[in-house]
Amino acid sequence: MHRLLLFKTRIKTQGVLKTIDFYYCRIIQLIFSTIIFKRFDLRIFPDARLGGVHYMRIGEGFGAGRGLWLEAVTDYAVTGQVFSPELIIGDRVNVGEYVHIGCNHRIIIGNDVLMGSKIYITDHNHGVYREDFSDSPDVPPISRHLTENESVEIGNRCWIGEFVTILPGVTIGEGCIIGSHSTVTRDIPSNSIAVGSPARVVKKWDEEKKKWLRV
Ligand SMILES: CC(C)(COP(=O)(O)OP(=O)(O)OC[C@H]1O[C@@H](n2cnc3c(N)ncnc32)[C@H](O)[C@@H]1OP(=O)(O)O)[C@@H](O)C(=O)NCCC(=O)NCCS
């Protein structure tokens, strides 16, 4: 009954063609998710690029726009490296279009996280550029070792804006908002709004006043 009412409302507000497109998308997402994950609750388009599915744990109700790219990297043939990645996505996570998550160690995304489109999250680099371990610019980037052991964590109920990049080793606490086009290079404490490249905290939630206050 409820579904019939939704169907009628959809036809009325969006017209026949958009309604057909909506159900067409739902059906192809259902078929794809059933084949790849043997589950009915995921909304993933068949154009998704998924690597290392056995190293992913995806919570209930995950939904993604077109062009999703989830890569749990198990090996890098160029350098002969092997990895045991863990890509963990919580319950009710929704992401927009063309989101790319690359993981060779550990990326954990909490429950109820919302992401915009064109977001990149990675826990590794091609080579090291710090102090004694620096990789030489004479070596082609593709031939440099992938860095390892840097986790990325995104807490429950975070909202990640459009075009955000989240780099290796970063923890974003619960309830944070990351402004569009930001690059997160350092940890962000819980209940903060961070913006810019590199992302800096500009507001924090004041639990007593029940307001976001500038810092
Ligand atoms: C992060 C965001 C929610 C902040 O909203 P807000 O709290 O109303 O922001 P304010 O306008 O009070 O801005 C606070 C400061 O941060 C700056 N700022 C806000 N968003 C910024 C961004 N994305 N990048 C850089 N600076 C930003 C403002 O210019 C302002 O700086 P100032 O103090 O020097 O003037 C919003 O700007 C944003 O980026 N939303 C994401 C939209 C999006 O991607 N939607 C996708 C849908 S899923």
Side-chain angles (χ1 to χ4, degrees), residues 94-138:
N94 276 283
V95 311
E97 302 199 325
Y98 298 97
V99 168
H100 175 190
I101 303 176
C103 167
N104 73 349
H105 178 59
R106 187 184 302 119
I107 295 183
I108 302 174
I109 295 169
N111 298 328
D112 301 297
V113 169
L114 174 65
M115 295 190 199
S117 297
K118 292 114 187 167
I119 286 167
Y120 178 48
I121 301 170
T122 183
D123 65 356
H124 57 277
N125 285 314
H126 283 271
V128 179
Y129 307 97
R130 288 174 194 164
E131 298 152 11
D132 300 339
F133 305 104
S134 289
D135 274 273
S136 161
D138 296 336

Side-chain angles (χ1 to χ4, degrees), residues 114-116 159 161-162 177-180 182 193 195-196 202-203 214:
L114 174 65
M115 295 190 199
W159 174 33
E162 304 263 317
I177 298 170
I178 309 298
S180 55
S182 299
I193 298 179
V195 301
V202 288
K203 292 185 186 177
R214 281 177 181 261

Side-chain angles (χ1 to χ4, degrees), residues 8 14 33 79 81 92 95 113 116 126 132 139 141-142 179 183 194:
K8 281 184 181 164
Q14 301 186 357
S33 303
T79 58
Q81 290 173 279
R92 301 169 298 279
V95 311
V113 169
H126 283 271
D132 300 339
V139 177
I142 201 165
T183 305

Side-chain angles (χ1 to χ4, degrees), residues 172-200:
I172 300 175
E174 295 192 344
C176 286
I177 298 170
I178 309 298
S180 55
H181 291 263
S182 299
T183 305
V184 188
T185 60
R186 300 261 186 271
D187 292 355
I188 306 293
S190 296
N191 302 324
S192 306
I193 298 179
V195 301
S197 295
R200 307 264 187 233

Side-chain angles (χ1 to χ4, degrees), residues 8 10-11 21-22 24 45-46 60 73 76 80 129 140 142 155 164 173 189 202:
K8 281 184 181 164
R10 193 160 273 130
I11 292 261
D21 183 54
F22 174 84
Y24 168 73
F45 282 94
E60 64 189 44
V73 183
Y76 191 47
Y129 307 97
I142 201 165
V164 165
V202 288

